[in-house]
Structure formats: structure tokens, C-alpha cells
Amino acid sequence: MSGKTAKLTLPDGREHALNVIVGSENEHAIDIRSLRQDTGYITLDSGYMNTGATTSAITYLDGEAGVLRYRGYSIEDLAEKSNFVETSYLLIHGRLPTARERDEFSKQLTYHSLIHEDMQHFFAGYPPTSHPMAVLSAMVTSLSAYYPDCLDRDAPMDLHITRLLSKVRTIAAFSYKKSIGQPVMYPRNSLKYAANFLHMMFAVPAEDYEVSPVLEKALNQLLILHADHEQNCSTSTVRLVGSSGANVYAAIAAGVLALWGPLHGGANQAVIEMLEDIQKAGGDYKKFIDDVKNKRGERRLMGFGHRVYKNYDPRAKILKKMADEVLEHLGIQDPLLDLAKSMEEVALRDDYFISKKLYPNVDFYSGILYRAMGIPTNMFTVMFALGRLPGWIAHWKEMVESKDTKIGRPRQIYTGEVERRFVPISERP
Ligand code: ACO
């Protein structure tokens, strides 16, 4: 509370004072919680374009300035100097771990990396054409059946949080192995988080597999960049589902499903598909951009635009540089990277994109990196989910630990029929 108020004048001339809340980065909000009770009015804001659903101490994002910080640390610093496990600890616990805390956290993640053997049967039940996001979401919900004490809101939650972080990685890799008909590779305790994932994805029983340190670093960075993004569609979903008292696995599975859509986490897959389509059609990207601008064929420049960023997404900046480094290290020349860069160059000079403040977002370059790492296109959104997991968990934890937990329940303005008399079918014309 700032002690300041804003004044609202209603159509009947009544005036209503509303408290102003100021955040630690000087963000201002008008607190409308008592508005309906006091005046009979609600606010209408479809898509929550201008509605703060909560206060939160996890992530700060200034979309105009292109700033992103987790718990006060800049995304640039974290991507350069941290790793995914440490960043996950930071997001979930609110501070960087000591060396001992980090080692213990890593040990716990290693210890909980297996999934119950019975869950293997679930994978066999899915057709090979299944999208891995369908498998992932169902498996995450199913974890609640194996750890039923999660239904008890008073049970210690740290163990469930560790299980989620560790087992979702195993589930993601197993679902890939099943989809290509290979035997699953069990996690290896000697490997760190990202390296273990690469091992489960790419090792085969017949051969030794050595994890490339460059790919391990790139994966750590990719996961860090996706780890949180305050009240986005999937995180808001996690909070909304969690607000009903649903268990943590159910809330996170709901987040996975919300992420699946092409306007959200599915955009990384959509970017590659868009680039491949342009390439197959002869590579005329300028015509594609022209079609987008003139809204021909209802296509968008995927990987461009963001509800919050009205400037270059700082994550896209890091990924663009990383894409160059990783591809160079692997000796890969990917024509899609050249195509993406050319499209970015044209779009950033074009009035349509400038006037609407459309810049590359995190997904414009992430798919190119995943491709270079050998991760298939339909796994891209799973990779996003793996990265976003600590953010979802941190928000769920913040919400359940908050004293001010209310079930999420928006209002509406009804625009349907007013009351009418029911006519039995025999009397209808
Ligand atoms: N290509 C072309 N035009 C676009 C694009 C785009 N990528 N994004 C927005 N626009 C245009 C819209 O057509 C609209 O134009 P209009 O005013 O003439 O109707 C205007 O810009 C505003 O667009 P909205 O959809 O209203 O903006 P909103 O904030 O609701 O949407 C979103 C943001 C969904 C990310 C949008 O920019 C988009 O669809 N981008 C492509 C998909 C994408 O990359 N999603 C990933 C987002 S990042 C993430 O989730 C990790």
C-alpha cells in the first residue's frame, strides 16, 4: 500500500477512492478488489491486458526497456554465470544457494531421477504419432497417483518439488525414446542435470556416448532463459488451478497444457515449421513478410511479437549469439538460421513491425539451437516446459504460502438472452 489513492467517477456522478499499490521497481497499480462490493461495478479486461492478478517477488520484467530479472539478478548474468540447477533453486527459494545447499539440491535431484517402473507401461499405450506434450502432461498428472500425499496440503512440499524437477526431465527423454522406437536410457548419477538429460535423449545401449560440454552449456542456458517469465499464460494457469487447492502435479500439468498452444510455448515449433515452409516454397521470405503484413492467409511472423516486450526480448539477444556459437562449434551450416536472420533484418526495418513494436521473442532462435542439438521439432515445446518448470513451481509455492490465497474466479459481463419462458417441445412451432 502506498498511502495514495486514485479517484474513479462513476456515470451516476458518484466518486470512489481506490488504493494505489506500488511495487519495489516503482510499478503502480490501482487496487480494485473492493470495487464491485462498494459500487456494483466490475472491470472488464479480456486477455488480462492490464490486470495484475497478484503481487509476486519472483521475476521482474520491463517490456519497454527489455529488462528481465529473476529475484533481482539479470537474465544476462544468470545465463552467463549460473546453471539451470542453481537458477531453479534461486527461483524456488528466493536466493542463491550456498555451495553446500547447491550440492545437496543436486544430490536430491539425482536421487529422485527415476520414475516408477510401472509408469513405463503408460508410454507403451501411446501411439508413436503422439505429440510428446500430450504424453508429458498426462505423465505429470499421473505422478500424483504415485505420490498420493501430495493431496494433503499440509504435507511437506519440498520433496514433491524435487521429484517434479527431476522426473519431468526423465519423462521428457523417455517419451522421445519411445517415439523413435529406441529403448529408454536410464539416468546416470555421475552426470549433472543438463548432461543427464542429453544422455537420456541421445545415448544408445550399443555405444558409448559422451556429452559435449558445449551442448551441455547451451542446454543450461536455454533452460535458464525459459525458467520464468512472470504471469504468462501457462504460469497464470498454474496459479489458477493451484488456487482451487488442486495438488502441485495437477497444477503443473495444467501449465504444460497451456504452454502447448502455438501462441505461447508452441511458437518455437511453429517458427521452424514456418521457416521450413518458406524454404520449401523457394525461399522468398520477403513475399512471406508481405503476406503477413497484409494479413493474407492469416499467418503471423512466428517468433515475433510479445504481449509484454515492446522492445527486443533480452532472451532472443542471448539466443541469437548462442546459435552462432553452437552451430560454429558443431560445424553445422543451417540455412534456416540464415533465413531467420534475413527475415529479422527485413522485419526490423519495416514500418508494420516497427509501428506495432514487434521484435524477435525468445522462440525466434531457440528452435534453431534445438535443431542443431539434434532435438526433433515436436520436442521443442517439451524443452520449453522443462525450462519453465522451476518458474511454475516457484509461482505455485509463492501462491500457496501466501496468506492472501483466494480461489481464482474472474467475473463477466453477461451478453446473452434475458429471462424467457420455457416452451415445451409440443408447443414449439
Ligand atoms: N506477426 C504479424 N503481426 C503480428 C504479430 C506477428 N508475429 N504479432 C502481433 N501482430 C499484430 C497483430 O496482427 C495485431 O495487428 P492489428 O492491430 O492490425 O490487429 C497487433 O500486432 C497486435 O497483436 P495482438 O495479437 O493483439 O497482440 P498480443 O499482445 O495479444 O499477442 C502474441 C502477443 C500472441 C505473442 C503475438 O505477438 C503473436 O501471435 N506472435 C507470434 C506467436 C509467438 O511468437 N508467440 C510466442 C510468444 S513468446 C512466448 O510465449 C514464449
Side-chain angles (χ1 to χ4, degrees), residues 263-264 267 292 295 300-301 303-304 307 352 356 361 384:
L263 297 187
H264 190 14
V292 165
K295 304 202 190 298
R300 285 188 167 197
L301 179 49
F304 257 67
R307 170 62 61 77
Y352 174 91
K356 294 183 190 299
N361 61 49
F384 193 153

Side-chain angles (χ1 to χ4, degrees), residues 234-270:
S234 55
T235 304
S236 303
T237 301
V238 168
R239 290 187 91 119
L240 192 63
V241 172
S243 77
S244 74
N247 69 77
V248 65
Y249 299 100
I252 299 297
V256 172
L257 288 167
L259 189 75
W260 196 355
L263 297 187
H264 190 14
N268 48 18
Q269 175 171 345

Side-chain angles (χ1 to χ4, degrees), residues 47 49 226 229 232-234 259 261-268 270-271 288-289 292-293 295 299-310 313 315 352-353 356-364 384 388:
M49 301 277 288
H226 286 88
H229 216 230
N232 54 83
C233 175
S234 55
L259 189 75
L263 297 187
H264 190 14
N268 48 18
V271 169
F288 180 89
I289 291 180
V292 165
K293 282 164 44 180
K295 304 202 190 298
R299 294 203 73 172
R300 285 188 167 197
L301 179 49
M302 299 310 286
F304 257 67
H306 198 278
R307 170 62 61 77
V308 184
Y309 289 119
K310 301 303 168 199
D313 181 338
R315 304 167 300 173
Y352 174 91
F353 295 92
K356 294 183 190 299
K357 298 189 175 170
L358 300 170
Y359 294 88
N361 61 49
V362 68
D363 283 326
F364 198 62
F384 193 153
R388 185 53 55 88

Side-chain angles (χ1 to χ4, degrees), residues 102-153:
R102 189 212 41 212
D103 292 349
E104 180 55 28
F105 190 48
S106 296
K107 203 169 106 193
Q108 288 301 317
L109 290 172
T110 301
Y111 183 76
H112 290 286
S113 59
L114 286 173
I115 54 170
H116 195 291
E117 275 299 296
D118 289 354
M119 286 187 83
Q120 293 272 5
H121 301 302
F122 296 5
F123 289 104
Y126 285 96
T129 50
S130 309
H131 196 288
M133 285 296 274
V135 180
L136 180 69
S137 55
M139 291 294 203
V140 173
T141 314
S142 303
L143 285 173
S144 63
Y146 288 86
Y147 306 105
D149 65 316
C150 68
L151 302 175
D152 176 2
R153 282 291 277 255

Side-chain angles (χ1 to χ4, degrees), residues 265-308:
N268 48 18
Q269 175 171 345
V271 169
I272 293 296
E273 287 166 355
M274 171 189 77
L275 294 171
E276 283 173 345
D277 284 354
I278 296 170
Q279 198 187 33
K280 268 187 226 141
D284 189 352
Y285 60 89
K286 289 187 180 154
K287 180 181 178 305
F288 180 89
I289 291 180
D290 203 56
D291 287 348
V292 165
K293 282 164 44 180
N294 291 296
K295 304 202 190 298
R296 283 192 288 265
E298 291 182 6
R299 294 203 73 172
R300 285 188 167 197
L301 179 49
M302 299 310 286
F304 257 67
H306 198 278
R307 170 62 61 77
V308 184

